[in-house]
Amino acid sequence: MKIRVLFFAQLREIFNASEKDFEVKEGTTIQGFVDELKNQGYEQLGKISLSYAINESWTKAGETLKSGDQLALLPPVAGG
Amino acid sequence: MYLTKNAISVPEFLSVTPHSSCGALATFVGIVRDHDHGQKVEKLFYDCYEPMAEKQLCAIVEQTKTQCKVNEIRLLHRIGWMEVGETAVVIAVTSAHREEAFAACREVIEAIKKIVPIWKKQIYHNGKSDWVVCQH
């Protein structure tokens, strides 16, 4: 199934993109997806304390991804 | 809308007349400063997940209004590139009495720093840059 992943801040620079589509297997969790990215050469992700949002709402790493989800990988925020 | 890519005019933002039941107007203005942890800052870039940030800011305003029992909370957060001395965020709270207005103003800025998906990149005079990790 296909999901869309959104990148912000340093992640835009790591992936050289603001968003990207990925094919993932049914039952994949966010944590599983991120671990897969690390194995595919994006090991820098391991150095960033990530939070996650699906379809614009905060969620947990254990959440299972669904087809069409828009997953945002969120580094520590620093507004204000 | 709580986000803007344009320069913020604080006098213009504060020109709204408070409701006649309000005896207090508390404000917070966040300004781009020229240093951080001993390094000279030249400019900033605020990245933002805009649709989610708008929702989070709206939720912060509504929750804080209820929690602190204030009349009105207005805020504007700038995103994009900013120079030293420019206004990054402005918050204005009106209430019957000062205690609630001060408390709500602080509550809003602290919540922004913790839960709104906005990120700050600092560009230093020596040409280096980094993404800021707030200590909250």
Side-chain angles (χ1 to χ4, degrees), chain A:
Chain A
M1 62 183 188
K2 188 183 280 185
I3 62 165
R4 177 157 293 178
V5 181
L6 308 182
F7 305 112
F8 299 95
Q10 58 267 59
L11 296 186
R12 281 193 211 267
E13 296 167 355
I14 291 171
F15 286 86
N16 197 27
S18 298
E19 58 181 50
K20 203 171 172 184
D21 291 342
F22 289 86
E23 282 290 336
V24 298
K25 292 178 186 163
E26 294 278 345
T28 302
T29 63
I30 294 172
Q31 189 62 62
F33 173 72
V34 172
D35 288 344
E36 188 60 31
L37 288 177
K38 289 180 199 168
N39 292 335
Q40 288 175 6
Y42 296 107
E43 58 278 349
Q44 307 100 304
L45 294 180
K47 296 176 183 168
I48 303 169
S49 178
L50 289 177
S51 297
Y52 310 99
I54 289 181
N55 305 327
E56 301 174 9
S57 296
W58 293 102
T59 191
K60 304 279 186 189
E63 184 75 15
T64 301
L65 293 162
K66 295 188 291 296
S67 181
D69 272 348
Q70 198 170 63
L71 169 66
L73 304 182
L74 308 173
V77 302

Side-chain angles (χ1 to χ4, degrees), chain B residues 38-56:
Chain B
Q39 297 205 75
K40 287 183 77 177
V41 174
E42 188 173 293
K43 56 186 175 180
L44 292 185
F45 177 73
Y46 277 104
D47 193 8
C48 181
Y49 183 9
E50 292 183 47
M52 185 174 168
E54 287 283 1
K55 282 185 189 174
Q56 293 283 313

Side-chain angles (χ1 to χ4, degrees), chain B residues 24-27 70 93 95 97-107:
Chain B
L25 165 62
T27 62
V70 295
V93 182
S95 63
H97 304 286
R98 66 187 182 282
E99 288 85 356
E100 305 93 281
F102 279 132
C105 209
R106 181 165 196 128
E107 186 72 26

